Structures are given as C-alpha cells and as structure tokens.
Amino acid sequence: QCQLSGLWRNEQDSLMEISAVRDNGDFQGKYLTRVTLAGGCARVSSLKGAQQQPTEGGWPTFAFTVRWDKFSNATTAFAGQCFVDVAGKETLTTMWLLREAVGSLEEDWKATR
C-alpha cells in the first residue's frame, strides 16, 4: 500500500512533506519549491489536500492545493495517484494547474498554465 505521508522529492528538486493522512483522507503539509515564477530562491508554502481511499488492491488517488502566498499571487492544484513498484519504491504521479492573478478579465487568457 502506498502511503502519502512523508517527504517527497520531484524531478525539479522541490520537496513536499505531507503530515499524517486522517481517516477521512484529509491531509496537510508543506511544499518547498525550487521553481518560482519570479525566479527567486526556494520558499516554503502550505498545502492542503484529500486522498481517495483505495479500493481493495488499488492505488490511492489524491488532490491538493498549494498557495504560493509568500512570494507569488498564484495557486496550484495538483491531482495524482500513488504507486508502489515491485521493489517497493513509492512514486507519486501528478498533473498540475497553476492560476496566477491578473488585473482584468481581458488578461484572463494568460493566467492559467
């Protein structure tokens, strides 16, 4: 079984730490990104999410959001699934959607990545 709680590192060398997942699937943690829109140094931001409890023999899906409030006016939503390979290595696969604040409805087209 894949456990979301713990420390995770991605290909960009960013770190995510998830505290214990509650019985209802809710969790929170911290995200230390090495990649910023402003190109500055790494910063820690809070995250909150939920895990769908896996069915018998399945791998859990999950989603979480990160508010980059300390250095950016943006929020990112992640959705993914946790897997364990035959050697016991846990891997999270995710897709993300980042929304940056813009000043007008006319600029909406460039706000989502």
Side-chain angles (χ1 to χ4, degrees):
Q1 169 126 5
C2 199
Q3 300 294 321
L4 281 183
S5 59
L7 186 63
W8 298 89
R9 180 184 309 272
N10 72 8
E11 307 86 21
Q12 303 298 322
D13 216 23
S14 296
L15 297 173
M16 176 176 69
E17 184 174 19
I18 296 177
S19 61
V21 178
R22 295 188 185 115
D23 289 342
N24 67 357
D26 290 351
F27 62 86
Q28 57 187 13
K30 296 180 264 184
Y31 199 104
L32 173 66
T33 184
R34 303 275 184 204
V35 180
T36 65
L37 293 173
C41 61
R43 303 284 176 99
V44 175
S45 296
S46 61
L47 68 85
K48 291 184 181 182
Q51 172 183 289
Q52 178 68 31
Q53 301 303 329
T55 57
E56 188 68 31
W59 304 112
T61 58
F62 59 89
F64 62 91
T65 57
V66 179
R67 287 182 30 220
W68 310 110
D69 56 337
K70 293 185 173 69
F71 60 93
S72 174
N73 194 8
T75 301
T76 302
F78 293 81
Q81 191 168 2
C82 189
F83 296 96
V84 180
D85 67 15
V86 294
K89 180 182 176 188
E90 295 175 320
T91 301
L92 303 181
T93 61
T94 62
M95 295 291 290
W96 56 268
L97 189 65
L98 181 138
R99 177 65 186 213
E100 186 176 14
V102 292
S104 68
L105 182 59
E106 290 75 28
E107 295 177 293
D108 184 63
W109 65 271
K110 67 179 183 178
T112 303
R113 300 174 192 193

